[in-house]
């Protein structure tokens, strides 16, 4: 794994990959199913360097895309992660692009789709694909699950993901569920705390919905996952494909987390999980005015997940509102939670909207930094930051600029939160 904030995750980089003549590592995650939900979960688990079995309930991978040319109409700026990887492989593109994704979705050739899927699978030494086997029995052991398949082979697995359309494996596992499930909600209705726990988002019927960690855990028990917390995505509707892939990827990352750290759901660190998803190009916040090709795309994702600006997510259509100004009043309460020193700054500094001189003063104060910040921002204004115009301390700071500079010099995203999205002191 790469670019993770946690040093333990970075150790994965030095783990040797399996090669010919080398004994395969014991699988830790098993994903059952054949469609896009299963593919995304299995691929992400393997990308997270966890040995994974994808047990395909049939002979064909993703049969929903094999019947002929497929056309998918969905909102722009909602494609990301493994789904975007498929689209870009189909287009032979080297980097993700929203406009190109829209074009590809209009005429999805089944052969090109299958070629893209095969290419992605071949890149994953940690993924083993087994086709045409049924699950006969599932037994809970002390810390693992024992699964017997129709070939009579038994797999001892840390985590199981039932990504099949029927969602019937829980009966074999003799799991009883709490029926009090909190359903996914429209993005615009989420509180700041709820936004901090998002792991996926997507479109249903022209509206954007968010998947919080609690929606994932509604279908988890002792390392067994299904999708009862997001049953809306089990419909036979290809328009849901971008959303299904995003949720499958989130479940795959969560199962890999539990297996890798040998831990339980209540111990999952929200920020580590979100970072893992963004490392593999997950689009957790689908801002309609921020293309994935934006040089600061993931800085804006991190800033949004920190929920510093209280009305950032309330605009119709879920827009970042990049050009709007930032007021003292809206950020002071969150700054007080993030940086205790900021209380002193706000006592001595009053105003309506931040000008650059105010903003830089605040950043220097909470970050214990000197004038080198001002000099660096002025130097990098056009060349690296790609801001328009020229640096002027008297100018007002836009939301876009505020987010990028905050992420670069104060990084609110690294402030720990619990699974309810509240800051941990």
């Amino acid at each position: 794994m790469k670019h993770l904030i946690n040093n333990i995750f970075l150790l994965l980089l030095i783990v040797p990959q399996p090669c010919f003549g080398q004994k395969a590592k014991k699988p830790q995650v098993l994903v059952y199913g054949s469609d896009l939900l299963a593919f995304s979960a299995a691929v992400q688990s393997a990308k997270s360097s966890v040995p994974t079995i994808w047990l395909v309930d049939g002979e064909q991978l993703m049969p929903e895309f094999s019947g002929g040319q497929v056309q998918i109409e969905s909102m722009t700026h909602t494609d990301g992660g493994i789904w975007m990887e498929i689209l870009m492989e189909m287009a032979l593109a080297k980097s993700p692009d929203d406009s190109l994704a829209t074009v590809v979705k209009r005429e999805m050739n089944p052969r090109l789709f299958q070629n893209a899927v095969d290419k992605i699978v071949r890149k994953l030494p940690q993924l083993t694909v087994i086709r045409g086997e049924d699950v006969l029995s599932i037994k809970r052991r002390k810390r693992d699950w024992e699964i017997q398949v129709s070939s009579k082979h038994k797999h001892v697995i840390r985590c199981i993901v039932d990504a099949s359309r029927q969602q019937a494996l829980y009966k074999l596992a003799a799991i009883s569920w709490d029926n009090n499930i909190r359903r996914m909600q429209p993005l615009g209705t989420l509180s700041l705390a709820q936004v901090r726990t998002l792991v996926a988002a997507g479109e249903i019927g022209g509206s954007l919905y968010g998947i919080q960690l609690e929606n994932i855990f509604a279908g988890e028990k002792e390392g067994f996952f299904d999708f009862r917390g997001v049953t809306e995505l089990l419909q036979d509707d290809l328009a849901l494909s971008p959303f299904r892939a995003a949720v499958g990827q989130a479940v795959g990352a969560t199962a890999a987390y539990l297996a890798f750290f040998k831990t339980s759901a209540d111990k999952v660190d929200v920020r580590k999980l979100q970072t893992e998803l963004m490392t593999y190009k997950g689009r957790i916040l689908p801002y309609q005015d921020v293309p994935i090709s934006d040089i600061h795309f993931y800085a804006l994702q991190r800033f949004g997940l920190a929920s510093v600006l209280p009305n950032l997510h309330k605009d119709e259509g879920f827009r970042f509102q990049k050009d709007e100004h930032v007021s003292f009043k809206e950020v002071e309460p969150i700054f007080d939670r993030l940086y205790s020193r900021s209380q002193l700054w706000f006592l001595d500094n009053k105003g309506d909207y931040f000008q650059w001189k105010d903003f830089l003063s605040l950043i220097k104060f909470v970050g214990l930094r000197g004038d080198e910040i001002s000099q660096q921002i002025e130097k990098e204004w056009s060349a690296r930051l790609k801001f328009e115009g020229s640096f002027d301390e008297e100018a007002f700071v836009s939301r876009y600029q505020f987010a990028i500079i905050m992420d670069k010099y104060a990084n609110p995203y690294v402030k720990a939160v619990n699974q309810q999205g509240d800051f941990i002191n």
Side-chain angles (χ1 to χ4, degrees), residues 2-6 9 269-281 284 302 305 413:
K2 50 187 177 179
H3 310 309
L4 297 176
I5 60 173
N6 184 273
F9 260 141
D269 184 310
V270 178
R271 289 295 185 240
K272 288 180 186 175
L273 183 61
Q274 291 168 331
T275 298
E276 180 73 349
L277 289 167
M278 288 187 284
T279 296
Y280 294 101
K281 310 304 180 185
I284 300 176
R302 291 188 295 269
L305 290 170
Y413 174 74

Side-chain angles (χ1 to χ4, degrees), residues 178-192:
D178 180 0
N179 292 323
N180 185 23
I181 296 175
R182 184 164 185 173
R183 297 297 177 188
M184 69 173 92
Q185 299 177 58
L187 278 175
T189 68
L190 298 178
S191 67
L192 293 180

Side-chain angles (χ1 to χ4, degrees), residues 36-37 40-41 80 82-83 86 240-250:
L36 183 60
L37 208 58
S40 301
I82 292 168
W83 171 250
I86 295 175
L240 297 174
S241 295
F243 200 0
R244 285 165 59 79
V247 175
Q249 186 170 357

Side-chain angles (χ1 to χ4, degrees), residues 402-423:
F402 190 92
I404 292 162
I405 299 302
M406 279 284 293
D407 180 76
K408 186 177 178 67
Y409 293 107
N411 202 354
Y413 174 74
V414 301
K415 176 69 173 178
V417 297
N418 60 26
Q419 292 187 3
Q420 291 71 49
D422 297 319
F423 291 119

Side-chain angles (χ1 to χ4, degrees), residues 35-76:
D35 66 6
L36 183 60
L37 208 58
F39 171 79
S40 301
V43 167
Q44 180 56 56
S45 178
K47 282 178 178 284
S48 293
S49 295
V50 174
T52 302
I53 292 175
W54 180 13
L55 190 62
V56 182
D57 56 342
E59 293 294 337
Q60 196 168 25
L61 306 184
M62 286 181 279
E64 68 269 36
F65 291 96
S66 64
Q69 189 162 291
V70 170
Q71 181 176 6
I72 296 178
E73 295 290 343
S74 59
M75 287 186 183
T76 58

Side-chain angles (χ1 to χ4, degrees), residues 3 40 53 57 81 159 172 176 187 201 205-206 220 237 262 267 301 306 336 362 373:
H3 310 309
S40 301
I53 292 175
D57 56 342
C159 293
L172 291 176
S176 59
L187 278 175
E220 188 279 338
D237 183 358
K262 297 179 173 57
K267 301 295 194 303
Q301 290 280 299
D336 287 348
L362 175 58
I373 290 182

